[in-house]
């Protein structure tokens, strides 16, 4: 997959830094490649649900960002990314010392990009697939005079 913007990496990093929710969750990008993004975050008791697992909404939010940024790496310089839809399946409780969310573009179109995501919990070196996602991302181009 080829990026349509030669400055894609810096643009993705700048956009990611604008997401307050990722900072709140302690998420950092650990791998940024054309069509593939990996985000990671540590366990935090502030992110758990009533059973002590990381809340499904947190996992879904980070997976959505991983898939969105995977798509964004391939977009041209005038484009922004927005999620159109996603489906998430939870396969195991989100328990571990840290979590890795991977997003990958499956089909890169002019207007829509289909992506897949995987969330992995890491506990004492053991990796467990805890969630999968299929998401569709939209390429949005703002017109002159229109602000975001």
């Amino acid at each position: 997959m080829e990026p349509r913007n030669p400055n894609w990496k810096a643009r993705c990093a700048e956009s990611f830094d604008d997401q307050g929710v990722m900072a709140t969750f302690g998420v950092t990008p650990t791998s940024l490649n054309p069509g593939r993004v990996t985000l990671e975050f540590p366990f935090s008791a502030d992110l758990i649900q009533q059973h002590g697992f990381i809340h499904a909404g947190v996992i879904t939010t980070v997976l959505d960002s991983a898939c969105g940024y995977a798509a964004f790496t391939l977009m041209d310089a005038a484009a922004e990314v927005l999620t159109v839809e996603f489906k998430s399946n939870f396969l195991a409780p989100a328990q571990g010392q840290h979590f890795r969310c991977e997003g990958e573009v499956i089909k890169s179109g002019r207007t829509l990009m289909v992506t897949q995501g995987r969330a992995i919990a890491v506990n004492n070196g053991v990796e467990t697939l805890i969630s999968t996602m299929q998401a569709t991302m939209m390429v949005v181009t703002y017109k002159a005079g229109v602000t975001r």
Side-chain angles (χ1 to χ4, degrees):
M1 302 209 170
E2 291 296 319
R4 297 177 188 131
N5 176 3
N7 195 31
W8 65 271
K9 202 166 204 171
R11 189 159 183 259
C12 285
E14 178 182 342
S15 174
F16 188 85
D17 289 345
D18 287 342
Q19 287 199 18
V21 70
M22 293 295 111
T24 298
F25 292 170
V27 178
T28 57
T30 56
S31 176
L32 195 61
N33 295 295
R36 293 183 69 105
V37 168
T38 302
L39 306 176
E40 295 191 27
F41 65 100
F43 174 85
S44 170
D46 291 336
L47 304 179
I48 63 171
Q49 42 81 298
Q50 70 277 14
H51 302 293
F53 308 134
I54 297 295
H55 195 285
V58 173
I59 298 297
T60 302
T61 299
V62 180
L63 268 178
D64 173 49
S65 280
C67 288
Y69 278 98
F72 195 50
T73 65
L74 301 178
M75 294 182 185
D76 68 38
E80 296 285 341
V81 62
L82 285 176
T83 303
V84 174
E85 62 80 33
F86 60 71
K87 161 103 172 68
S88 200
N89 291 314
F90 290 87
L91 310 171
Q95 55 188 352
Q97 294 158 326
H98 72 274
F99 302 86
R100 184 173 69 243
C101 292
E102 305 165 345
E104 178 179 11
V105 174
I106 303 305
K107 171 70 171 143
S108 177
R110 280 186 340 197
T111 306
L112 296 175
M113 295 192 185
V114 177
T115 65
Q116 289 182 342
R118 298 168 17 109
I120 295 137
V122 181
N123 196 28
N124 294 319
V126 176
E127 296 189 358
T128 303
L129 179 64
I130 58 173
S131 183
T132 62
M133 175 178 279
Q134 173 142 346
T136 305
M137 301 296 160
M138 182 175 188
V139 179
V140 178
T141 304
Y142 293 97
K143 308 239 185 295
V146 177
T147 59
R148 331 195 241 172

